[in-house]
Amino acid sequence: MSDFYCIPTNIGLTKLAAFSTGGSPINIAEFAVGDANGVPYLPETRVAQNTLVHECYRNAIESVLVSPFDAHVSIATINLAANVGGWRVCEIALIDDDGDIIYLANYPNNYKPTLSEGAGGELEIPVYLQASAVGSIAVVVDPNIIRASQDWVNLNFATKIALQAEVDNRIDAVQAEVDNRSNALIALMTRLTA
């Protein structure tokens, strides 16, 4: 196992098991990050807890997508804006709409500065969730958050941009042909009327 990973909590396992026997999907609504009071830990040491050691920030989660490589893995993307920080990120929780921590992850004890400290920027962290039942994880998205990741933009607009470039090239080629024929026609008419 790697040094940094995400596992379901005891509550998360119970809810995942309930889903697999006909229950509702788990609605991941929020994420929380913490500094663990400066003492990083392995997630399995706290699966019985329903709080982080020291939560520093909480926000709505923006996306949970099924991995294109493994249908039993979902990828939750959490984003810390440039103005959020001033502490170390050591622990991450994914929280459902009941307020329960469903997944707990550790993180490589990195300091998250803010722009006011003279450095910083947005921090995007993908969290990989394993679930035995496809569809057991859903996401509750706050409609007031409008955000597009670079991957989303590339996926949704790269083809459109390429197609628009092709259309523009074809229009330019047709216009050039029209101009050439118009010039030839004008030259022919000039000779005929002379």
Side-chain angles (χ1 to χ4, degrees), residues 11 19 33 66 70 76 99 107 114-115 134 139 172 174 185-186 193:
I11 291 171
F19 170 79
V33 295
V66 175
D70 186 343
Y107 194 74
T114 61
L115 290 176
V134 174
V139 63
D172 291 345
V174 167
L185 185 58
I186 291 170
T193 58

Side-chain angles (χ1 to χ4, degrees), residues 122-142:
E122 184 177 292
L123 175 62
E124 182 176 279
I125 304 171
V127 180
Y128 295 85
L129 317 172
Q130 289 193 330
S132 58
V134 174
S136 62
I137 302 165
V139 63
V140 176
V141 176
D142 183 344

